[in-house]
Amino acid sequence: MPNIVVVGSQWGDEGKGKVVDILAPHVDAVVRYQGGNNAGHTVVVGREKFVLHSIPSGILHPGLRCVIGCGVVVDPADLIEEMEALVRRGIVLDGNLYISRNAHLIMPYHRALDLAMEAKLGDRRIGTTGKGVGPAYMDKAARLGIRMADLLNEPLFREKLEFNLTRKNRSLSEVYDAKTFTVEEILGPYLRYAGWLAPYITDTALLLNRWIANGQSVLFEGAQGTMLDVDHGTYPFITSSSTTAGGASTGTGVPPTKIHGVLGVSKVYTTRVGGGPFPTELRGKMAEALRARGNEYGATTGRPRRCGWFDAVVGRYAVRVNGLDTIALTKLDVLDEFETVKIAVGYRYRGELLTEVPSEERIWNEAEPVYEEMSGWQCSTAGLRDYAELPAKARQYVERLAEVVGCDFCLVSTGAVRDDTILMDGSPLVRWFPSLRGSIPPR
Ligand code: IMP
């Protein structure tokens, strides 16, 4: 059974939650491999909307095993809140949710430092979600982090907390002029969280590898997107984890030799939240129209997302760095009313045509998109489930997207609900999961 990675091809918010939700009934387990509660994966089931932050989107499928891998950073208070909210809505977690004992904890001082560091950056601020994700990964790399397993060992947890807090408090008060913490105010709540989370904490790398050895299939659910990757993104305007497909291996303990394919998820236009380069960004009425039609507001922070045309330079890059086998295109219906639609096929920088993403921030900032313009279809594609039903101009648009990024698409999403989806016959996706055929009921 195939083990497939689902990865965002842009700056996050591509609709990975919906794609994972569609694939979940056809796999045995879903695992998150990086990021933390900075993510907001929206899934619409019937009339109900779920927004998941740390828990894999697969949890909405009864009996499906869901794993929070070692590459994820976990805010225990937020995670427990998310768990309680799911339980209140009838979702069963016991026996279905597993948390890596090696996953690092987000501590209150990480959140405080995230906000303080951003405030100091002024115009150069990243526009983080303020969840403490960056500082938690800083501690992980600095070998100062506190892990899930430590939470279960009270004396060790106290010792690590005391050691860290001395340094963090100094930094908070002396560098950032911010509020400090006492050991007791963190210890009490965190020990309560330990009691709550203990039944779910385990050696998830061992479990995942055992399941795979038994012929079960695992779906790797990426968070954020390629251009926010700590190595391959628009550094320093990135998140602090390996969002690209390679992260699936390090973030779970499943070796690359056991991963069979990579599926990219891409909107038919582009959005980004926070600061940093975005060559195809639109301003004014066009941006507002995209934002309104696409409901482009952050699922975690509620911030309005920056909106722009599809960027094929970014698309090609995502195909290369992730080794994409196929792409799921989302939100086609958002473009339904536009008279013209545009695709950036290159950038112009000081008279030169660039066809690859720039390596320098300065070039990113000055790069002007070179557009191909196509006429819009100006009729509704909302809810269509058959490729042949799409207006010819919409088909021409998606086929041109596939051509310019150099990768075929396997699915086109035409609405928020699960079934508003077109599955492409003969794509790698239906080869990987033959049971997907016929899984979308006709309208
Ligand atoms: P952080 O991950 O909170 O440190 O934020 C770093 C950058 O990543 C900021 O530009 C955020 O807006 C962006 N970011 C983090 N998580 C997401 C996400 O789930 N979707 C889109 N952007 C995100």
Side-chain angles (χ1 to χ4, degrees):
M1 290 287 273
N3 305 314
I4 304 298
V5 182
V6 174
V7 71
S9 306
Q10 296 162 317
W11 277 277
D13 308 314
E14 297 92 350
K16 296 177 290 295
K18 172 171 170 173
V19 172
V20 169
D21 184 56
I22 291 172
L23 302 183
H26 308 275
V27 299
D28 298 294
V30 182
V31 56
R32 271 279 305 270
Y33 58 87
Q34 45 70 229
N37 54 333
N38 48 354
H41 291 172
T42 306
V43 181
V44 181
V45 184
R47 291 187 172 189
E48 280 201 81
K49 179 172 155 183
F50 293 84
V51 182
L52 296 147
H53 298 285
S54 298
I55 299 177
S57 307
I59 202 71
L60 305 177
H61 294 264
L64 185 67
R65 282 162 287 170
C66 287
V67 177
I68 296 178
C70 58
V72 175
V73 287
V74 179
D75 182 322
D78 256 34
L79 174 62
I80 291 170
E81 207 175 291
E82 192 175 336
M83 290 166 73
E84 284 180 327
L86 287 172
V87 169
R88 275 198 301 276
R89 293 173 78 175
I91 308 286
V92 178
L93 301 180
D94 293 353
N96 295 327
L97 181 66
Y98 303 83
I99 305 169
S100 169
R101 62 184 189 191
N102 289 357
H104 281 246
L105 289 168
I106 298 179
M107 305 295 290
Y109 48 79
H110 290 139
R111 275 196 305 274
L113 281 166
D114 193 352
L115 299 176
M117 285 160 67
E118 280 283 272
K120 267 263 190 290
L121 280 171
D123 285 350
R124 299 268 309 159
R125 70 182 170 276
I126 314 293
T128 72
T129 58
K131 301 285 182 185
V133 167
Y137 279 114
M138 281 164 67
D139 275 359
K140 173 176 173 170
R143 296 167 289 194
L144 293 170
I146 308 182
R147 308 204 284 185
M148 275 292 166
D150 302 328
L151 193 58
L152 304 184
N153 179 339
E154 187 179 332
L156 184 67
F157 181 72
R158 177 189 275 275
E159 187 190 314
K160 290 195 174 190
L161 177 61
E162 282 170 354
F163 180 85
N164 271 289
L165 207 49
T166 318
R167 283 152 188 79
K168 302 298 177 200
N169 275 343
R170 208 179 302 141
S171 174
L172 281 167
S173 64
E174 291 174 18
V175 181
Y176 297 108
D177 201 17
K179 180 184 155 299
T180 56
F181 295 87
T182 65
V183 169
E184 296 315 319
E185 73 184 307
I186 297 178
L187 192 65
Y190 270 64
L191 292 180
R192 274 202 308 283
Y193 305 149
W196 229 98
L197 295 175
Y200 303 94
I201 300 173
T202 185
D203 183 346
T204 52
L206 181 65
L207 280 182
L208 287 163
N209 279 293
R210 273 195 187 144
W211 295 338
I212 290 171
N214 288 336
Q216 300 186 329
S217 82
V218 174
L219 194 67
F220 298 80
E221 178 177 358
Q224 291 85 42
T226 301
M227 301 313 285
L228 289 171
D229 186 279
V230 65
D231 290 296
H232 306 291
T234 44
Y235 194 91
F237 299 96
I238 44 107
T239 189
S240 300
S241 63
S242 296
T243 59
T244 45
S249 204
T250 52
T252 59
V254 174
T257 46
K258 296 280 187 278
I259 295 176
H260 304 107
V262 185
L263 185 162
V265 185
S266 182
K267 275 196 278 226
V268 295
Y269 53 96
T270 313
T271 62
R272 137 159 242 182
V273 204
F278 181 0
T280 62
E281 180 168 16
L282 289 165
R283 291 196 170 74
K285 279 201 178 126
M286 289 296 273
E288 279 160 32
L290 268 178
R291 191 173 302 120
R293 282 193 58 84
N295 191 24
E296 295 296 354
Y297 295 90
T300 300
T301 58
R303 288 180 292 177
R305 295 180 184 139
R306 298 159 66 192
C307 297
W309 293 120
F310 187 88
D311 188 332
V313 184
V314 163
R316 278 196 295 274
Y317 181 69
V319 170
R320 191 172 74 239
V321 294
N322 295 296
L324 299 185
D325 294 294
T326 186
I327 295 177
L329 283 176
T330 60
K331 293 197 150 181
L332 180 68
D333 54 307
V334 172
L335 296 184
D336 281 352
E337 284 178 4
F338 289 86
E339 218 173 295
T340 53
V341 283
K342 293 186 187 180
I343 305 172
V345 290
Y347 305 141
R348 180 88 49 205
Y349 172 72
R350 297 188 181 172
E352 202 186 324
L353 178 69
L354 307 180
T355 53
E356 294 294 343
V357 299
S359 49
E360 281 177 61
E361 212 185 312
R362 171 177 60 90
I363 305 179
W364 265 118
N365 290 337
E366 283 182 45
E368 290 287 334
V370 176
Y371 285 119
E372 260 184 34
E373 197 168 313
M374 299 174 78
S375 86
W377 43 97
Q378 296 191 283
C379 60
S380 175
T381 62
L384 295 185
R385 296 177 187 181
D386 185 346
Y387 192 65
E389 279 180 342
L390 285 184
K393 285 178 177 166
R395 273 185 273 135
Q396 277 156 17
Y397 177 68
V398 294
E399 284 162 25
R400 184 65 188 143
L401 289 190
E403 204 169 70
V404 287
V405 302
C407 183
D408 281 340
F409 50 94
C410 53
L411 173 162
V412 183
S413 168
T414 55
V417 302
R418 265 180 202 166
D419 292 338
D420 287 349
T421 303
I422 297 169
L423 278 179
M424 301 304 292
D425 269 343
S427 75
L429 190 62
V430 285
R431 280 204 303 279
W432 290 328
F433 305 111
S435 51
L436 261 178
R437 278 202 195 90
S439 66
I440 306 281
R443 279 208 300 164

